[in-house]
Amino acid sequence: CSSDTADYTNGVDSDTYNNTATITATGFSDSASASVDVDCYLPSVSKTAVGSYTETHTWEVEKSASPTALSGFLGGAAGSTTWTVTVNETVVDSAFGVSGSITVSNPHPSAAMTVSLADVLNDGTVGVISSCTGDADLTNGLTVAAASSSTCSYSSSGLDGNETSNTATATINGVGVSDTEAFTFVASVAGPTS
């Protein structure tokens, strides 16, 4: 089977291989031909990616008086004070993460396909793949039933917020098939905002 993914249409590469055997001897010659049809199958990969982070708002109120002490006499004015109120808002972004699903489809009509599955962000962070339909144990790869698909959940945490894309790759016989999804981080706001 070809290892060039461009040779596959809708996950299938069909080829016919002809072979002719010829025998030649003194006064005798004969030949016979036979052919074999070979169908090779390539998995397809699709994914989603949702970026999220927590935007925490905290507030601090400070109040001061100037002067802080006054004096006066009974029935008279004690002076005046200027009051100053300062309100400070602090915004902290944290808990950057990406999550989504990866779907691997097997176009083979009668045989299961086992692939190794990886998920990597554009900064090299490796995603944690879990909860795959049809194959609970990923120790020996993801097995996808014939003419079927399997969908896995994945997540990446501890990010810095500069990541922009995520790639899932299914590898079979040393050949990888990938899908890349761009994403942006969407805030989950904690605390009152101004």
Side-chain angles (χ1 to χ4, degrees), residues 28-184:
F28 176 77
S29 177
D30 196 14
S31 66
S33 295
S35 64
V36 62
D37 294 326
V38 177
D39 293 327
C40 299
Y41 297 91
L42 178 74
S44 65
V45 178
S46 62
K47 74 176 321 330
T48 63
V50 177
S52 63
Y53 71 99
T54 301
E55 180 183 284
T56 304
H57 295 254
T58 56
W59 296 87
E60 182 179 281
V61 177
E62 297 175 356
K63 186 173 185 180
S64 61
S66 177
T68 58
L70 299 172
S71 64
F73 294 102
L74 179 67
S80 64
T81 297
T82 301
W83 298 94
T84 303
V85 178
T86 305
V87 179
N88 295 308
E89 177 187 20
T90 302
V91 179
V92 176
D93 296 336
S94 63
F96 286 90
V98 177
S99 61
S101 64
I102 303 165
T103 300
V104 179
S105 298
N106 175 6
H108 196 292
S110 60
M113 176 184 288
T114 300
V115 299
S116 63
L117 191 59
D119 186 79
V120 181
L121 295 173
N122 62 301
D123 70 347
T125 301
V126 176
V128 177
I129 299 171
S130 60
S131 305
C132 297
T133 59
D135 189 355
D137 179 16
L138 295 175
T139 305
N140 296 313
L142 173 66
T143 300
V144 183
S148 188
S149 62
S150 181
T151 300
C152 304
S153 299
Y154 76 90
S155 62
S156 299
S157 59
L159 309 178
D160 62 15
N162 292 313
E163 298 79 7
T164 58
S165 66
N166 181 255
T167 300
T169 302
T171 302
I172 183 169
N173 297 327
V175 179
V177 179
S178 299
D179 185 36
T180 299
E181 185 75 17
F183 64 88
T184 57

